[in-house]
Amino acid sequence: IKNIIIWEESYFAAIISLTSVVLAIALAFVPWALIFRWSSRIIVWTLFGPWMKAVDVFYVSKLKPLTEEELDKQEHEAKKLRKERTKEAALQARIAREDAKKLKDMKKYMFGKFITHVSVLKLDRFRDIPLPQSEAKPYEQKALPMSELAMKEAGKDRTRIPGQQLIGDMVPMLDTSGINDAPTGQPTGEKALLDKSSPGAKVEKDSTANAVAKISGVVAAAAVVTWFGVPLMISAVKMIW
């Protein structure tokens, strides 16, 4: 709470401040007393007016009353449904509890005293105030040719150090999958990082619809050439021979 009050947690502080301002404006300018009064009147007049007698005469009175057997059957079905839902909820709760205990024991076995809980909020005891002579510059990635950028996105020379996140149900293990940011069906994902002077920078990003249209056009052209061109070629060869 201290870090939120002193704006060390800037995101949470900004969200709380913006929400407070919006609520203050809503409570200050919206006539809530008038809205509540007329809403209550409309609800009471609609649900408890004299026309509810007409609803009783034309709808409720025409409903067929249930027999004792039908009431017992309906109550039995309701009890059965509640029992099944309760049983399923208990089963899911037991599975979640067992998975949490198994994951905790596996982490204790694998990491031991090195288990660390990473908090979402800042828990620093002392504030880290930058010095007046300190500075920060935005990181600008270097433009790369298409070949280097494609290999970089595919994970070349990029090593992923596994943390304490485990995957798997029966036997939890470390996630040792590599880093792969390469898109499917495209040479690169970040075209803004391409070197403008490289040939790959001029390749247009094609959509699936355009690719299907182009392939269909090629197939149609090949069919036309085959249908009309091949007989002409055969006739020409026969005339020559």
Side-chain angles (χ1 to χ4, degrees):
I1 298 176
K2 174 185 175 182
N3 290 328
I4 296 177
I5 295 175
I6 63 178
W7 280 79
E8 282 292 314
E9 291 285 354
S10 56
Y11 292 103
F12 292 98
I15 292 173
I16 293 174
S17 301
L18 182 61
T19 305
S20 302
V21 171
V22 172
L23 291 177
I25 295 174
L27 295 175
F29 296 100
V30 177
W32 292 107
L34 181 64
I35 292 175
F36 289 149
R37 182 169 63 252
W38 280 100
S39 299
S40 303
R41 288 178 178 177
I42 292 173
I43 293 173
V44 171
W45 291 345
T46 303
L47 300 180
F48 302 100
W51 45 83
M52 296 304 293
K53 180 60 178 178
V55 176
D56 184 21
V57 172
F58 294 104
Y59 178 73
V60 179
S61 61
K62 295 182 180 181
L63 295 176
K64 182 181 177 181
L66 299 177
T67 61
E68 292 294 335
E69 295 180 357
E70 292 176 344
L71 289 174
D72 293 341
K73 183 178 179 181
Q74 187 177 10
E75 184 178 359
H76 177 71
E77 292 293 336
K79 288 182 179 179
K80 182 179 179 182
L81 181 60
R82 288 196 301 269
K83 184 177 180 180
E84 290 178 354
R85 290 180 177 177
T86 304
K87 185 177 180 181
E88 182 65 23
L91 177 62
Q92 296 298 329
R94 188 184 68 182
I95 293 175
R97 184 170 60 253
E98 291 177 355
D99 289 342
K101 188 176 184 304
K102 179 173 63 176
L103 184 62
K104 181 179 179 180
D105 293 340
M106 185 61 70
K107 284 188 176 181
K108 185 177 180 181
Y109 171 76
M110 296 179 66
F111 306 112
K113 64 179 181 179
F114 299 103
I115 295 178
T116 304
H117 175 70
V118 181
S119 177
V120 178
L121 300 175
K122 292 182 179 179
L123 300 177
D124 301 337
R125 180 177 298 180
F126 304 103
R127 294 183 60 189
D128 187 10
I129 302 176
L131 297 175
Q133 62 270 22
S134 63
E135 61 178 0
K137 296 181 180 180
Y139 173 71
E140 296 182 0
Q141 294 187 0
K142 181 182 178 181
L144 299 174
M146 178 177 288
S147 58
E148 296 183 13
L149 183 59
M151 289 188 294
K152 180 181 178 182
E153 292 180 350
K156 185 177 183 297
D157 298 332
R158 300 170 68 187
T159 304
R160 181 181 182 275
I161 300 176
Q164 296 182 1
Q165 186 68 27
L166 303 180
I167 58 174
D169 294 329
M170 295 299 295
V171 181
M173 296 183 298
L174 286 173
D175 185 8
T176 58
S177 60
I179 301 175
N180 190 350
D181 300 329
T184 303
Q186 300 294 335
T188 57
E190 297 290 340
K191 293 198 65 176
L193 301 179
L194 281 175
D195 188 3
K196 303 302 180 182
S197 60
S198 62
K202 300 179 181 180
V203 177
E204 296 293 335
K205 186 176 181 181
D206 206 354
S207 62
T208 303
N210 292 335
V212 171
K214 292 179 180 179
I215 294 174
S216 301
V218 172
V219 172
V224 171
V225 172
T226 304
W227 184 265
F228 294 101
V230 172
L232 294 177
M233 293 176 61
I234 295 175
S235 301
V237 170
K238 289 182 178 180
M239 291 177 62
I240 295 175
W241 290 97

